[in-house]
Amino acid sequence: SMSASDGDVERAPLLVDSKFAAQNGSTTDLIAADEAEAAQIIAKGGVMGFLFSLGRKMKYDSEANDAVDKQQQQKQQGLAKVLSVWQLTFLGVGMIIGAGIFTIVGKAVREAGPGIIVSMLLVGVTALLIALCYSELSSNIPVAGSAFSFVYVTFGELAAWFVGWNLILEYTVAAAVIARAWANYLFAFLTSIGVRVPTFLTPSSAGSSIVSFNVIAAIILLLLTLLVAYGVSESASVNTVVVIIKVGILIFFSAYGFANVKSVNYSEFFPHGSNGVFKGAAVIFFAFLGFDGVSAMAEEAQDAKRAMPRAIMGSLAICSVLYCCTGAALVGLVNYAKVSTEDPLSDAFRDSKPLSGLVALSAVCGITTAIIGAILGQSRVYLSMARAGLIPRAFAAVSSTRSTPILATALSGIPAAAMGMALRIDIIANLTSLGACAAFILVCASVLHRRYARKAGHWTLMRRIFSL
């Protein structure tokens, strides 16, 4: 059953202030208050004032939000706070270690050569700085929606609308990309153990450079969508088990690679110079995406103010170490010019079917958790956008029995399944970083604005920027 009364659907933690908590009114009261402030800015600033009015934002009051959360938990409404810091950390690791390390690392190695280690360090430092911003905001604003919610509270509705749809693009495309990679590795694993896959299940291009049918990719997306809709606690438990398996196999790959490294493969460390290192970093950045998805689960975390920063930073640290070790082992085993761009880790063991199959199994596990993370993150963004009225409010409804946004989850999984079934991976993969880049820029700007605005007032920073 779905709790979809006006009070439940319109209630959104990021839209709550003390007045809302006391009166339990609709969000229109808060919008009206912000519109009055916007009217004053318009009167003073002319056209620029009108642009500023588009930055109408909602207030976040942590005490009022906690009170509303307690009330909803007692009524068994809304999202359940069931995720521990360990579950959140494993969710982060599951989201980060996905298709990137198992597929895109091959393209990055071709660009950077053994210098891929430096490329990964550069990306790791960049991701660390971004993760610090996410940690601070998710601790101060522990609500569902990730960057959408942070930007809504900080910059207002127009910027949040832009970020929200960019996040939808990112998550949808990412889910489709990694689902197709999942299907490819599943076929590789089944082939390594001697299982013949029926022809109708194998990918088919249908004579088109854009369309490439992949039924298995659609099936796995729909199945995992059902899992996420069933319950976040169950999804987190499955994720934890699978993460342990794939991390163990990656550690084995790195240990085997370092034990059998060919020093001659490191002789030309920067074959394409610094330009190749930066190109490799740009390509491999896709593999580090995912830590931002942890922040989307803040509303379902136990003691979110402490758990979120630890989970975000912890998952990124674990994955950065694993990535550097895996990249170093890969270029030590295989000359960078011969590294496969399709399934580089599995291809490194092409002379040994058992080891190749083991890596393929790790990829299947790794990509499974990345799909779960993408669907979880996207459904929470849809939930927050529906609460704010930017999409139909029906998608803000939360199941009273499963404590999950079932409609928002379906809206996340079904379009991704259609895209994953029909479009080629290289066509849609290039779209993924667009949404992430926009979100990262505005999240980092939100940290600067919130720190500055505490001393200088809400609109001061924007005024000074536009007056330059």
Side-chain angles (χ1 to χ4, degrees):
S1 63
M2 309 287 283
S3 58
S5 65
D6 290 340
D8 295 334
V9 173
E10 292 190 4
R11 181 269 178 189
L14 77 156
L15 305 181
V16 174
D17 67 358
S18 56
K19 178 180 178 181
F20 178 78
Q23 299 179 355
N24 197 25
S26 69
T27 58
T28 54
D29 296 332
L30 296 177
I31 293 175
D34 277 350
E35 285 179 344
E37 180 184 5
Q40 296 178 359
I41 299 172
I42 292 173
K44 293 181 180 179
V47 175
M48 193 59 65
F50 171 72
L51 295 177
F52 275 34
S53 71
L54 296 179
R56 178 182 60 196
K57 67 175 187 176
M58 299 301 175
K59 301 181 184 300
Y60 175 80
D61 187 313
S62 59
E63 293 183 1
N65 177 60
D66 291 342
V68 174
D69 273 339
K70 283 184 179 180
Q71 186 180 16
Q72 287 204 332
Q73 293 300 316
Q74 291 173 354
K75 295 181 179 179
Q76 294 184 336
Q77 298 172 344
L79 301 174
K81 294 183 176 297
V82 295
L83 298 177
S84 67
V85 64
W86 287 108
Q87 287 178 312
L88 289 166
T89 302
F90 279 113
L91 275 174
V93 173
M95 293 178 189
I96 298 171
I97 302 179
I101 192 61
F102 294 106
T103 56
I104 296 188
V105 69
K107 297 178 182 179
V109 167
R110 288 291 186 92
E111 296 285 354
I116 188 64
I117 303 170
V118 179
S119 298
M120 287 184 170
L121 289 173
L122 288 173
V123 175
V125 171
T126 304
L128 172 65
L129 297 175
I130 299 171
L132 287 170
C133 295
Y134 271 92
S135 297
E136 179 173 330
L137 290 173
S138 61
S139 177
N140 293 330
I141 312 172
V143 296
S146 186
F148 169 80
S149 300
F150 305 152
V151 173
Y152 206 151
V153 172
T154 307
F155 290 119
E157 186 171 289
L158 181 64
W161 178 88
F162 173 76
V163 168
W165 286 110
N166 272 278
L167 286 175
I168 297 304
L169 171 67
E170 174 195 347
Y171 283 124
T172 303
V173 173
V177 168
I178 56 186
R180 293 183 71 90
W182 186 93
N184 293 336
Y185 267 102
L186 178 64
F187 295 144
F189 172 69
L190 293 176
T191 301
S192 70
I193 61 176
V195 176
R196 188 173 182 179
V197 180
T199 305
F200 74 92
L201 291 178
T202 58
S204 171
S205 64
S208 172
S209 60
I210 298 178
V211 177
S212 174
F213 292 106
N214 194 321
V215 177
I216 295 296
I219 291 174
I220 187 60
L221 271 167
L222 293 175
L223 288 176
L224 293 178
T225 298
L226 290 175
L227 172 64
V228 171
Y230 183 75
V232 66
S233 182
E234 291 79 3
S235 301
S237 298
V238 171
N239 176 84
T240 299
V241 173
V242 179
V243 163
I244 292 173
I245 294 173
K246 72 176 177 180
V247 168
I249 296 177
L250 283 178
I251 292 174
F252 167 78
F253 177 89
S254 300
Y256 181 90
F258 288 134
N260 297 274
V261 68
K262 301 173 184 177
S263 58
V264 67
N265 290 335
Y266 291 118
S267 59
E268 195 177 5
F269 202 81
F270 299 111
H272 303 298
S274 60
N275 190 40
V277 172
F278 285 110
K279 282 186 176 180
V283 172
I284 203 65
F285 186 73
F286 174 83
F288 280 78
L289 298 182
F291 63 87
D292 54 313
V294 180
S295 61
M297 310 303 297
E299 195 173 328
E300 294 157 275
Q302 301 170 356
D303 192 13
K305 293 184 178 181
R306 292 176 178 268
M308 296 310 299
R310 294 176 181 177
I312 292 172
M313 300 306 296
S315 59
L316 181 60
I318 292 170
C319 294
S320 297
V321 173
L322 281 174
Y323 276 10
C324 288
C325 291
T326 303
L330 177 61
V331 293
L333 280 173
V334 184
N335 183 276
Y336 80 93
K338 298 180 180 180
V339 171
S340 170
T341 57
E342 297 296 329
D343 52 348
L345 301 190
S346 181
D347 187 67
F349 291 139
R350 56 183 173 271
D351 295 330
S352 173
K353 280 195 173 182
L355 292 178
S356 178
L358 185 65
V359 174
L361 174 62
S362 175
V364 170
C365 293
I367 297 172
T368 298
T369 59
I371 297 173
I372 292 174
I375 298 173
L376 279 170
Q378 184 175 356
S379 63
R380 272 52 181 179
V381 173
Y382 273 133
L383 172 68
S384 295
M385 292 180 71
R387 286 170 167 175
L390 299 182
I391 62 174
R393 293 188 184 276
F395 292 103
V398 176
S399 169
S400 59
T401 55
R402 306 309 313 170
S403 297
T404 57
I406 294 179
L407 291 180
T409 303
L411 185 61
S412 302
I414 294 175
M419 184 180 291
M421 180 177 68
L423 296 180
R424 281 174 45 192
I425 189 171
D426 56 342
I427 297 295
I428 56 180
N430 294 329
L431 299 174
T432 308
S433 296
L434 176 63
C437 181
F440 290 166
I441 290 173
L442 282 171
V443 165
C444 294
S446 295
V447 173
L448 293 175
H449 183 271
R450 286 175 62 81
R451 290 184 178 182
Y452 190 87
R454 289 174 184 173
K455 296 180 179 179
H458 176 57
W459 295 105
T460 304
L461 182 61
M462 293 183 68
R463 285 195 184 96
R464 292 191 178 182
I465 290 175
F466 282 113
S467 67
L468 294 177

